[in-house]
Amino acid sequence: MSTDGESWDSKKGRIEQLEGNCIMKKLIFVSCGQYTEEEKSLGKRVVEIINSTENLRAYFAELQSNAEGLSQNIFSNLSSAAGVIFIMHPRGDISTPSGKSITRGSVWIEQEIAIVAFMNEVMGGHVDVKAFIHKGIAREGVRSVLILNPHEFSAESEVLEEVEKLAARWSMEIRPQIHIEYKVDVFFDNSRKAHKLFIVAVNNSKKDLVKY
């Protein structure tokens, strides 16, 4: 007899199945100016919104002081991101060779936009992009030819309001990077309780599964 009062013979061959899935949260890369306390605060509040949204987790692109930090943090997280939020603030006025005065945005963020464009257009990536550009910033570089459909803002509250809507939508729409399905078969044979575990991992990212 088994401990629950039912004979092993009556249980022999019976199979119980437990099924489920495990979805790794989708990484959202947040790039925001950090020259002023207001810019840093905005970036952190955007991160809070992302992290409080189901299925999403945020990486805040901190300024890196060396090439190793750049590679291990910014480039690595950009390549793993399912979505990217760019928030560009003005960085001063310049005069063009024609004599026209324009307001320039963050060169750092301009470069990150170019990297993501290359990932999507050349490397076959599927990174969703949302850009928030402060009113008055001129279109330069790669951004001048990309169809970004940026949201122009003058107040930080506008960005936060739009990010809340965006996070809710991305939580439902963006494909998870790693989706793991599992099934456990529990069966009884020769007076023993045995288990079989079946795992299927779907990798939608550009990284080898062993790197996670």
Side-chain angles (χ1 to χ4, degrees), residues 57-71:
R57 61 187 178 94
Y59 170 78
F60 189 20
E62 301 280 354
L63 290 176
Q64 301 299 317
S65 59
N66 55 58
E68 183 179 3
L70 182 69
S71 175

Side-chain angles (χ1 to χ4, degrees), residues 2-3 8 21 25 33 38 41 68 72-74 92 112 122 124 151 170 175:
S2 65
T3 55
W8 288 112
N21 60 77
K25 290 187 175 182
E38 289 77 11
S41 176
E68 183 179 3
Q72 292 182 354
N73 293 293
I74 299 229
E112 290 175 337
V122 179
H151 181 98
W170 276 2
R175 295 187 306 167

Side-chain angles (χ1 to χ4, degrees), residues 42 89 132 134-135 151-161:
L42 176 60
H89 291 85
F132 295 90
H134 197 280
K135 288 183 178 178
H151 181 98
E152 290 193 343
F153 72 96
S154 55
E156 295 179 352
S157 59
E158 300 174 48
V159 175
L160 297 173
E161 183 179 346

Side-chain angles (χ1 to χ4, degrees), residues 180-205:
I180 298 175
E181 297 179 356
Y182 66 87
K183 181 177 71 173
V184 180
D185 286 352
V186 183
F187 62 95
F188 300 88
D189 190 22
N190 297 325
S191 300
R192 294 191 311 168
K193 187 176 184 179
H195 300 77
K196 285 185 179 180
L197 174 63
F198 302 89
I199 298 177
V200 176
V202 180
N203 184 3
N204 292 319
S205 75

